[in-house]
């Protein structure tokens, strides 16, 4: 039997009644996109919500995908006549890029279509490779593999095909971007997508030869002060990478990955090998590359920015 007080307690007070919270509508998500994947990558919370930090990360990956999707479609058309296209992602880390590329391309853009492409995530940290392999198995992502290899090991490993269609390297630190370029050249990549990070090697050489350079050319004022040495070294590193790619027959575009408010490591280098080689442009780029190395006192880096595909 209820007492008056218990009856009053059991009866909800009209003023305290609150509607159940509505589910968050996430406009950024694409129809068919794997919610489980986004939770596993901590882009969505366990409740399926998106916070400001993860929204920014998702925006960056989507923006990069806008650049890569046309390249995937391009190589997929060619690969349809062989065994399927291949994409190698260097310095994969937790494989945000590889997983989301896979999901957006195979499961969203081409859902239900027969596709033979394959994505390879290449990473030196074994624990991250193991976690990525486990996640791919749980999600049923059958056309993505993770390899515990350095870039140099990947170049000759029989775990990868002799040629690779697309090479990506997102925020590959210091010389890791150069290693990814060397891999792409060795594998005859049709496209390379690079977001460099933390370049220090060229700045070190500029610092070492500063006195000699100041005596040789007034341009050395560009890197006389330590802060300028670091900034100019980073800038000229990417200039040399672009020249190296052009000197190997690629057409190069440089743009922003996202707005500067999101990341200062923001430069996106897109390199594509044209269907018809352009020997004149390639030779001109080879000459400019040698001249820039010489003018800036960087001749000791000739091997780093070597031309691997001479054009007659």
């Amino acid at each position: 039997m209820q007492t008056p007080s218990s009856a009053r307690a059991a009866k909800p007070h009209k003023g305290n009644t609150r509607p159940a919270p509505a589910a968050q509508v996430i406009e950024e998500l694409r129809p068919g996109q794997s919610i489980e994947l986004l939770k596993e990558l901590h882009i969505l919370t366990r409740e399926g919500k998106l916070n400001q930090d993860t929204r920014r990360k998702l925006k960056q990956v989507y923006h990069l995908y806008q650049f890569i999707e046309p390249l995937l479609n391009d190589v997929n058309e060619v690969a349809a006549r062989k065994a399927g296209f291949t994409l190698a992602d260097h310095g994969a880390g937790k494989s945000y890029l590889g997983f989301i590329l896979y999901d957006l391309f195979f499961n969203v853009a081409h859902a239900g279509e027969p596709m033979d492409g394959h994505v390879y995530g290449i990473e030196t940290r074994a624990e991250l490779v193991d976690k990525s392999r486990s996640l791919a198995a749980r999600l049923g992502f059958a056309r993505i593999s993770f390899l515990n290899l350095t870039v140099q090991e990947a170049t000759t490993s029989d775990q990868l095909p002799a040629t690779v269609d697309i090479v990506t390297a997102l925020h590959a630190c210091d010389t890791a971007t150069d290693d990814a370029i060397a891999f792409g050249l060795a594998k005859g990549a049709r496209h390379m997508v690079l977001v460099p990070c933390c370049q220090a090697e060229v700045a070190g050489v500029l610092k070492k030869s500063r006195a000699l350079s100041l005596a040789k050319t007034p341009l050395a004022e560009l890197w006389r002060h330590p802060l300028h040495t670091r900034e100019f070294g980073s800038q000229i590193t990417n200039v040399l990478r672009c020249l190296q790619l052009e000197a190997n027959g690629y057409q190069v575009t440089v743009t922003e990955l996202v707005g500067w408010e999101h990341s200062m490591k923001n430069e996106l280098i897109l390199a594509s090998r044209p269907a018809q080689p352009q020997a004149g442009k390639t030779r001109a780029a080879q000459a400019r590359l040698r001249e820039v190395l010489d003018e800036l006192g960087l001749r000791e880096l000739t091997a780093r920015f070597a031309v691997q595909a001479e054009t007659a």
Side-chain angles (χ1 to χ4, degrees), residues 230-309:
R230 187 180 71 224
E231 293 180 347
F232 181 73
S234 177
Q235 178 79 355
I236 198 62
T237 299
N238 288 339
V239 170
L240 289 168
R241 287 165 174 162
C242 292
L243 278 172
Q244 180 190 23
L245 288 162
E246 291 175 342
N248 280 280
Y250 287 82
Q251 294 176 341
V252 176
T253 301
V254 181
T255 187
E256 291 181 350
L257 174 57
V258 289
W260 288 108
E261 71 274 14
H262 295 297
S263 174
M264 294 301 290
K265 303 300 181 183
N266 194 46
E267 187 168 337
L268 173 62
I269 300 173
L270 299 166
S272 296
R273 194 188 298 278
Q276 296 297 324
Q278 300 176 326
K281 290 184 178 180
T282 299
R283 285 194 295 269
Q286 291 170 357
R288 289 197 303 274
L289 177 58
R290 290 191 293 267
E291 290 165 1
V292 170
L293 289 169
D294 184 65
E295 182 68 23
L296 299 180
L298 298 171
R299 286 184 296 275
E300 68 180 80
L301 295 177
T302 298
R304 167 66 69 185
F305 299 102
V307 175
Q308 298 187 16

Side-chain angles (χ1 to χ4, degrees), residues 53-104:
D53 288 340
T54 54
R55 178 174 275 109
R56 184 162 48 243
K57 183 179 292 185
L58 189 61
K59 179 181 177 181
Q60 291 183 32
V61 176
Y62 279 169
H63 192 66
L64 185 58
Y65 179 73
Q66 289 177 357
F67 290 103
I68 297 177
E69 184 181 22
L71 309 183
L72 288 167
N73 287 325
D74 173 60
V75 298
N76 186 53
E77 290 178 7
V78 176
R81 300 190 294 270
K82 51 177 186 176
F85 73 85
T86 50
L87 182 149
D89 180 34
H90 281 287
K94 296 180 180 178
S95 299
Y96 283 91
L97 177 60
F99 274 121
I100 293 181
L101 278 177
Y102 184 102
D103 193 34
L104 291 177

Side-chain angles (χ1 to χ4, degrees), residues 12-22:
H13 192 278
K14 187 175 181 180
N16 293 332
T17 302
R18 295 178 182 177

Side-chain angles (χ1 to χ4, degrees), residues 119-139:
V119 176
Y120 295 90
I122 301 169
E123 171 58 46
T124 58
R125 289 167 287 183
E127 68 277 10
L128 295 183
V129 172
D130 290 341
K131 288 180 180 178
S132 294
R133 287 172 176 169
S134 176
L135 177 57
R138 290 202 309 275
L139 295 173

